Amino acid sequence: MKLARRTFVVGGAHSPFIGKHHPDFVWKKHPDFGKRENPTLQEHLFTAARGALEATGADDGSAIDKAYVGNHVGELFTGQAHLGALLAGAAPGLALKPIMRVEGACASGGLATVCALDAIGAGADLCLVVGAEMQTTVSARQGAEYLASAAHFATQRAIDEFTFPALFARRAARVKAETDLTEADLDRVILKAYANGNKNPLAHMHAVKLDPATMADSPRFLGNPELQPHLRMADCSQVSDGGSAIVLASEEGLKKLGKSPADAVELLAYGHAAAPLEGDPADMLAMSTSAAAAKSAYESAGVGPEDVRVAEVHDCFSIAEVLMYEAVGFAERGGAAKIIREGATELGGRIPVNTGGGLMSFGHPVGATGVKQILEVTRQMRGECGDYQLPERPAVGLTANMGGDDRTAVVTILRRG
Ligand code: CAA
C-alpha cells in the first residue's frame, strides 16, 4: 500500500524479552523461585508503551491520537483479554483515547502497525503501536496447543502436540528433499541468530552460547515419526514474554513533538496479504503470502530488494528464515543456500538479517514481534544497536512479519531520515 501521507517512526522501546534460559527468568530450578515473580503481560505492555512515549517526547500520551495493541492469545496464556482498555492505563494521557487490540496470530504486531498507518493516512497525526505477549505461564507443550489456534485448528492440530514446530518440520523436509539446502545451511542460520543475540543485552537468549560442534545433538522432540528427524530444538524460536512499542507520526505529528523528518525514520510503504487458513500452503517450497506482501511493499515504496541494507524477517523456525530470504527477493526461488554460504545475511554481510538475534535468539513474544522488527530496523538506522550495530548505518530496511504457516503477512519498507 502506498501511504496517503508521509509517515515516520519517531522511536520506541522494548521491554527485556525473557523466558526459560534467561538468567533472570524465575522457574522451578531458579534460586529466586518462590521469592519473586516474572513480569506480567500488563507490565510488558506498560514498560514498552511508557518507554516509547518517553523516548519520543510524547510523555504522558496526551498527544497520541490513536493506539493499537498487537496480541495473539493473551486470554489463553494469562486470562486477560481487552488489551486496548488495558493499555489506556499505561499513561495518564492515554485514558479515553481510541485504543483497540488487533489479532493476526504471530503477525498481530505487524497488523497493529498497519492499522496505525491507515489511521495516519486518514488524518491521525500521532499513533502508538504496542505489541506484547506472555507465554511462559504454562509448559511449552500446553503453549503449543494455544499457539495452534494460529493454524487451522480443526484440521491441523493433530499433526503433532507441537503443531507449529511440526508444520515447519514438514516444510524443512520438503525443501531439503527438493533443493540443495542442507542441515548445515540451517545450522549457519541458527548460529548467526545466537551470535547476534549474544551481542544484544535485551535478547531472551543473550547468555546462551551455541557450540557449532554439537548442533546435531539438539533434541529432535516431535512426536510425529515422519517429521521428527527434520526439526531440532535449536531450529525453533523461543517461548518468550515481552513487549515492544513504537510511535508513528505524520509530518504534522513530528512538529507536535518538536521534531523534523531528519530526526526520524520514514516508513515508505507496507504490503499486507492473507491466504486461506484451511488446507496446505499453496506452495510448500515458498512463502507465497509473504512474497505477495513484499511485492506490494516494494512496488509502493519504489525500491527493490537490491536496495535493502538491513532486514528483520520472521524466523519462527530456521527454515522460515531461509524461505523468507526468497519471499522478500534476497535470493531466487531455491537460491537461499547460496546466500547463506556466502555469509550475505550475517552482520558483516551484504544484507544483514535479524541483527539482534531474530525470533530464535532475541525471542518471539508473538504479538510483539512485528513491532519489534520495525523498531530494530529504526535502531540500526539511527546507530543505536550497541555491540550489534552495523558499521554503516543502513539507508533502506525491510521487515517481514508472518502469522500462521504463512497465512497473514505484513512487510514494511523503511528509509533513514
Ligand atoms: N531429548 C528428547 N526430547 C526432549 C529432550 C531431550 N533431551 N528435552 C526435551 N525433550 C522433549 C520433551 O518431550 C519435552 O516435552 P515434555 O517435557 O512436555 O515431555 C519437549 O521436548 C519440550 O521440552 P521442554 O519443555 O523442556 O523445552 P523448552 O521449554 O526449552 O522448549 C521448545 C523448547 C519446545 C523448542 C520451545 O522453545 C518451543 O515450543 N518453541 C517454538 C515456539 C513456537 O512454536 N512459536 C510459534 C512459532 S510459529 C509462528 O511464528 C507463526 C504463528 O502465527 C504461530
Side-chain angles (χ1 to χ4, degrees):
M1 287 284 286
K2 275 208 169 77
L3 302 186
R5 298 165 77 203
R6 290 185 76 190
T7 304
F8 301 85
V9 185
V10 192
H14 305 299
S15 71
F17 288 9
I18 196 170
K20 213 162 150 187
H21 309 293
H22 188 290
D24 291 342
F25 177 70
V26 180
W27 63 302
K28 57 182 182 303
K29 293 187 183 157
H30 194 281
D32 289 353
F33 185 69
K35 294 183 198 149
R36 66 178 172 89
E37 302 285 328
N38 293 308
T40 62
L41 177 61
Q42 175 169 331
E43 284 164 342
H44 282 291
L45 192 74
F46 282 19
T47 300
R50 288 170 180 163
L53 294 174
E54 195 183 329
T56 56
D59 300 328
D60 76 345
S62 49
I64 298 292
D65 296 311
K66 275 177 168 273
Y68 297 90
V69 180
N71 173 264
H72 175 32
V73 281
E75 52 275 67
L76 295 181
F77 281 108
T78 71
Q80 185 64 62
H82 203 177
L83 301 185
L86 191 67
L87 180 63
L94 291 180
L96 306 182
K97 296 284 182 183
I99 311 179
M100 68 169 87
R101 167 188 173 177
V102 184
E103 194 280 316
C106 298
S108 298
L111 287 185
T113 308
V114 162
C115 290
L117 293 170
D118 289 351
I120 289 176
D125 285 324
L126 285 166
C127 288
L128 173 67
V129 185
V130 193
E133 203 85 43
M134 175 145 200
Q135 302 175 98
T136 62
T137 50
V138 297
S139 69
R141 194 177 286 277
Q142 177 65 55
E145 170 155 10
Y146 297 162
L147 293 174
S149 60
H152 190 261
F153 195 87
T155 55
Q156 294 186 310
R157 171 63 183 130
I159 188 172
D160 194 279
E161 278 196 73
F162 287 96
T163 303
F164 266 95
L167 289 171
F168 281 87
R170 188 171 68 155
R171 283 199 187 253
R174 285 283 300 276
V175 175
K176 283 186 290 173
E178 295 181 38
T179 74
D180 70 340
L181 186 89
T182 63
E183 197 161 89
D185 296 319
L186 293 173
D187 286 357
R188 192 152 174 181
V189 171
I190 299 163
L191 289 163
K192 166 179 76 67
Y194 279 76
N196 293 355
N198 292 152
K199 296 178 196 290
N200 175 7
L202 292 177
H204 176 160
M205 300 299 260
H206 177 61
V208 177
K209 305 251 188 274
L210 274 199
D211 178 354
T214 61
M215 295 292 284
D217 303 332
S218 178
R220 295 175 198 263
F221 63 97
L222 294 180
N224 179 318
E226 268 177 44
L227 299 176
Q228 191 260 355
H230 298 292
L231 186 105
R232 302 157 292 176
M233 268 192 193
D235 288 295
C236 299
S237 57
Q238 303 309 315
V239 172
S240 312
D241 303 337
S244 294
I246 51 176
V247 172
L248 296 175
S250 64
E251 285 175 281
E252 287 70 21
L254 285 177
K255 282 186 205 140
K256 287 181 191 175
L257 297 177
K259 295 183 192 297
S260 76
D263 300 320
V265 161
E266 184 160 5
L267 203 156
L268 295 176
Y270 74 81
H272 169 202
L277 193 58
E278 187 172 2
D280 288 342
D283 182 348
M284 203 63 97
L285 302 183
M287 298 277 205
S288 318
T289 314
S290 296
K295 184 168 181 288
S296 157
Y298 283 131
E299 281 173 6
S300 302
V303 303
E306 64 285 355
D307 300 310
V308 175
R309 292 290 173 273
V310 67
E312 289 281 318
V313 307
H314 198 96
D315 57 324
C316 49
F317 301 94
S318 57
I319 189 67
E321 175 160 337
V322 171
L323 293 176
M324 275 291 185
Y325 293 165
E326 299 175 15
V328 303
F330 297 163
E332 288 175 1
R333 183 183 173 91
K338 183 167 178 286
I339 68 164
I340 294 167
R341 290 170 199 167
E342 288 167 2
T345 59
E346 294 173 9
L347 279 189
R350 191 162 38 89
I351 318 165
V353 172
N354 295 344
T355 61
L359 284 58
M360 288 188 278
S361 176
F362 198 152
H364 185 23
V366 168
T369 288
V371 184
K372 179 209 81 173
Q373 292 179 326
I374 293 171
L375 182 53
E376 282 303 284
V377 168
T378 301
R379 294 175 73 225
Q380 279 291 357
M381 289 180 170
R382 289 174 152 177
E384 294 171 355
C385 286
D387 288 348
Y388 64 97
Q389 178 61 46
L390 300 172
E392 199 174 318
R393 289 188 299 124
V396 176
L398 169 143
T399 68
N401 180 209
M402 184 266 286
D405 182 4
D406 187 44
R407 303 310 164 91
T408 291
V410 176
V411 172
T412 72
I413 311 283
L414 299 112
R415 186 172 60 198
R416 200 179 64 209

